[in-house]
Amino acid sequence: QVQLVESGGGLVQPGSSLRLSCATSGNTLDYYSIGWFRQAPGNEREGVSCIVISSGATSYTNSVKGRFTISRDSAKNTVYLQTDNLKPEDTGVYYCAAGPLPYCNADAPAGLYNYWGQGTQVTVSS
């Protein structure tokens, strides 16, 4: 079992930044990837970014490339998503998820991930 807890969301103006955190506990994540997904009202859950824990390899969906950065702190068992230059279309509930994936693609289906957090709300509005 793996537990994940997201934090760091909030209400910000366009152009602002937030750092989202995904604290993990439970089984070792050495063979896992962590993905960040988001879901806006009325929309399907979409992949944003992911990181392979063992190698640090990362992937981003096109709409966030150059603005979001995913990273991991193995000592703290935490994965971060730094979100810069936020836009209104980035609004949604952000979830982190863990899956036994030796490689990851940010646009891969959510169904590949076994464990999910409860989400943190990000609202970008002027």
Side-chain angles (χ1 to χ4, degrees):
Q1 290 286 333
V2 176
Q3 292 79 43
L4 305 107
V5 179
E6 303 95 334
S7 62
L11 171 62
V12 296
Q13 294 186 336
S16 299
S17 299
L18 285 172
R19 188 176 78 159
L20 308 183
S21 298
C22 175
T24 70
S25 61
N27 290 350
T28 178
L29 294 179
D30 289 349
Y31 305 106
Y32 278 72
S33 292
I34 300 292
W36 281 98
F37 292 78
R38 66 186 178 191
Q39 188 166 19
N43 290 358
E44 293 186 355
R45 194 168 297 189
E46 64 170 348
V48 174
S49 181
C50 60
I51 186 167
V52 181
I53 294 300
S54 59
S55 68
T58 61
S59 175
Y60 299 90
T61 196
N62 282 340
S63 64
V64 307
K65 284 181 180 176
R67 300 189 298 121
F68 290 11
T69 305
I70 192 170
S71 62
R72 72 200 194 291
D73 184 332
S74 297
K76 295 183 178 180
N77 294 322
T78 300
V79 171
Y80 301 100
L81 185 68
Q82 178 68 37
T83 66
D84 297 321
N85 191 21
L86 284 161
K87 303 177 181 181
E89 51 264 41
D90 294 317
T91 293
V93 179
Y94 282 68
Y95 300 91
C96 64
L101 307 172
Y103 306 96
C104 78
N105 184 312
D107 299 315
L112 293 178
Y113 292 82
N114 307 69
Y115 303 101
W116 290 81
Q118 295 179 317
T120 185
Q121 176 71 45
V122 173
T123 304
V124 185
S125 175
S126 55

